[in-house]
Amino acid sequence: MITQFSYGTPVETFAVAEDIPVSDHERLRRFTREKGSPQIFSCPLGEGDAVYGLGETMRGINKRGARYISFNYDDPRHRDDMPSMYGAHNFVVVDGESPFGAFFDTPAKVVFDIDAKRDGTLTVACESQDLRLYLIEGESAYDVVKQFLGVIGRSFLPPLWAFGYGQSRWGYKTKLDVSRVAARHQEAGIPLDYICMDIDYMDRYIDFTVNRRRFPNLEDYSARMKERGIHLVPIVDAGIKIEPGNPVYEEGVRNGYFCKNREGKDFKAEVWPGMTHFPDFLREEVRKWFGEQYRVYTSLGLEGFWNDMNEPAIFSTEYRAKGAKPDAERGDPDQPERHTADFKDFFHRLDDGREKSNYEVHNIFGAMMTRASGEGLERLLDNRYLLFSRSSYIGAHRYGGIWTGDNASTWEMLRQNVYHMPSLNMCGFLYSGADTGGFGGNSSRELMLRWLAVSVFTPLMRNHSAIFTKKQECFRFRNPEDFRTIITLRYRLLPYLYSEFMKAALRQDMLIRPLAFDYPRDEKVRQIEDQLMVGESVMIAPVLEQGVKGRIVYLPEPMTEVRFSSEGFTCMDVCAGERTVMVPLNQVVFYIRQGKLVPVGKSAANTAELDLMDVELLGSGKDYEQYVDDGYTKKCGLDRCIVRRKGEKL
């Protein structure tokens, strides 16, 4: 059961897609409410209650015992005590005797104190007086999540090639750089489906331009790469460069499409291209205009994009010199460390006529950019497209996926990748993943292999690194055949992973889940956060520590242990309980639930070579419902599922 409570005059975030009647405020259940600024909602927690949700936040899957701040922020120094990240996902689930969930739908800052003081209380402080609160009551935590997913709308559906392996690096400066990466992958026999182009492909970092000296004849080049099964995926940033002669800038100024400053003029902020204006994405006409700009790329044959710097990230402004720290931030423990006061210096005009500072609606800026891009690409392209973004809010999952931002090459970031996936799924973001190997720092061979063994099971599987780091393409490491083995597993599992993703999206369900959601009566699994369920059949238990040869795995039920090496699959039925499992760096071990099946295909250099119908069924089950389509069509539905029976040939 879902109930909506509305306070003040909420800003429309478009997070909830279904019409839910507003209830009487006096009937507010679960929480007590204290009026004021901020207005505070609080409720007691049982001693054994777990608290899930909050999407992209640090720490474990159970969020209890810490304080979190929903205020989208660009800070690559990810730490365990970091209060804010790139997304705001204000949905929490309390899993206890009487499970319930709460979604605080407001684009302003929200502080979640989840028993941080060890006082047995969940306290939510909403800075804005204008918000909607949705309460969801269910039979279990998983039931609560499924109800929530049912009202926030279906996940974005990328094409099949977006589930292939992607290679990226800030530093591919020319077409020759990209071609060399593709050639080295082919020489090493490492599968590859797309290569991302960071800001260097642009003309002086200006959106919707191409540096014709570095990337001449991009249309022909893109077509030739597609013939080899490789897509090019350019980056798009949030700021539009202030430069006469730039048609996007001139049209935006002429039509009043940019955010305003204190004096009512177009706000100026420095980002990569220099001083820029920010489109007012909260207005429908601006979103339509911005989405149309992608025609520059689609006319070149490009079908995949990643949006960045859309928290928005700011280097300096017309009011603050680069490196200066605004006085308003000093001494405020609720402010992230750098220049959030800038967000009070520019303003949006909402479609209802109200004017709001970015600070007041900050958390939906990036989401509305994603929406603008997705709606534009939907109009421009006949087939499905790839789109993922850095900043997000619940609701943006309907238009694109996300990656978890500028992480680092550390073992803790690998562990955080595991924690993030189910939490993001709870908030609708099925198509998600981390920068495999880490964006900042230098990945070791061991870390990259262990990270790949996790990324094999995440929908977005991209190796991405920063320009000043050691190059970490898989073909550069010693014994590249070990990397080829693990990435080959990804392609052999795609008949299962693609099928499970599409079924979860179309049924508005989770793809990646905590063990506790599938085994709610097993008290031991409530304490396990480094094992996950992937789809209906698979459990993963990755190795997340440096220098170890294996790990202890807990099986809630008898399962089939599957080991993949250069020799292929080896299956063994194992009993429930704890077991010590050795996992060499060049192997991946996963588990198939009792009575379930996993379809695996043949090896492929890219998804264009993949035949989803030509599969072998692993596991102890009798049949499997497989989703199969051409990987491109927009007309997707559960009528495309077929039943595969073990031992039966199609």
Side-chain angles (χ1 to χ4, degrees), residues 237-497:
D237 286 342
I240 302 299
K241 182 173 175 58
I242 300 171
E243 181 172 275
N246 174 3
V248 182
Y249 159 74
E250 291 183 338
E251 187 176 3
V253 170
R254 184 167 61 249
N255 294 319
Y257 288 156
F258 297 124
C259 294
K260 304 302 180 184
N261 64 11
R262 301 172 192 165
E263 291 77 38
K265 298 179 180 178
D266 292 336
F267 176 69
K268 299 177 182 178
E270 181 191 6
V271 200
W272 290 114
M275 295 305 283
T276 68
H277 293 323
F278 291 140
D280 191 354
F281 294 117
L282 275 63
R283 292 160 51 196
E284 183 178 5
E285 65 174 326
V286 178
R287 291 195 298 272
K288 186 174 182 180
W289 165 75
F290 188 83
E292 179 63 26
Q293 306 311 313
Y294 284 79
R295 186 181 298 275
V296 170
Y297 300 126
T298 59
S299 66
L300 299 175
L302 303 178
E303 301 172 302
F305 308 88
W306 53 302
N307 289 347
D308 198 6
M309 306 295 286
N310 53 351
E311 291 72 34
I314 296 174
F315 299 161
S316 68
T317 76
E318 56 190 305
Y319 302 115
R320 179 185 60 82
K322 192 169 186 177
K325 186 175 182 181
D327 291 337
E329 293 174 30
R330 295 185 180 130
D332 185 349
D334 283 353
Q335 295 285 18
E337 294 177 9
R338 293 183 295 162
H339 57 79
T340 56
D342 293 339
F343 306 132
K344 298 179 180 179
D345 288 337
F346 69 99
F347 300 84
H348 299 265
R349 190 177 77 245
L350 308 184
D351 284 331
D352 63 13
R354 285 183 289 171
E355 184 180 86
K356 295 282 186 180
S357 71
N358 178 267
Y359 185 85
E360 297 173 282
V361 295
H362 178 74
N363 287 341
I364 59 172
F365 182 86
M368 291 303 181
M369 178 187 178
T370 301
R371 181 181 180 183
S373 307
E375 290 178 337
L377 292 169
E378 193 69 28
R379 293 189 296 267
L380 292 168
L381 294 172
D382 294 329
N383 295 316
R384 280 182 272 162
Y385 51 86
L386 170 59
L387 176 65
F388 58 98
S389 183
R390 191 169 74 178
S391 182
S392 59
Y393 185 86
I394 291 173
H397 69 284
R398 301 195 296 270
Y399 305 99
I402 60 174
W403 93 102
T404 56
D406 296 345
N407 61 4
S409 300
T410 68
W411 291 88
E412 178 54 33
M413 289 300 98
L414 169 57
R415 183 174 291 274
Q416 285 296 328
N417 187 182
V418 173
Y419 296 158
H420 278 143
M421 296 311 298
S423 298
L424 287 169
N425 270 233
M426 292 178 207
C427 297
F429 292 94
L430 301 192
Y431 189 80
S432 53
D435 285 343
T436 300
F439 176 72
N442 300 314
S443 181
S444 67
R445 181 178 187 275
E446 179 188 9
L447 178 60
M448 178 60 76
L449 285 166
R450 293 302 194 199
W451 209 319
L452 285 168
V454 171
S455 297
V456 158
F457 297 96
T458 66
L460 172 59
M461 186 185 186
R462 179 180 74 147
N463 177 342
H464 183 47
S465 57
I467 192 170
F468 301 113
T469 64
K470 183 179 178 181
K471 293 180 179 179
Q472 64 184 39
E473 295 91 348
C474 291
F475 54 74
R476 297 186 184 278
F477 291 96
R478 174 174 51 85
N479 296 336
E481 61 271 15
D482 293 344
F483 297 83
R484 178 174 65 236
T485 295
I486 296 180
I487 297 174
T488 293
L489 172 62
R490 167 64 165 216
Y491 284 78
R492 298 203 63 182
L493 282 175
L494 276 182
Y496 174 76
L497 295 171

Side-chain angles (χ1 to χ4, degrees), residues 48 50 52 62 419 515-516 522-531:
Y52 302 116
N62 182 356
Y419 296 158
L515 263 62
D522 188 331
E523 286 299 320
K524 188 173 180 64
V525 302
R526 290 171 66 88
Q527 311 305 319
I528 296 175
E529 299 199 330
D530 60 355
Q531 299 178 207

Side-chain angles (χ1 to χ4, degrees), residues 38-65:
Q39 58 180 322
I40 297 173
F41 299 81
S42 61
C43 73
L45 295 173
E47 184 177 351
D49 290 358
V51 181
Y52 302 116
L54 292 185
E56 188 182 58
T57 45
M58 295 295 286
R59 296 174 62 90
I61 297 173
N62 182 356
K63 298 301 178 184
R64 188 164 182 169

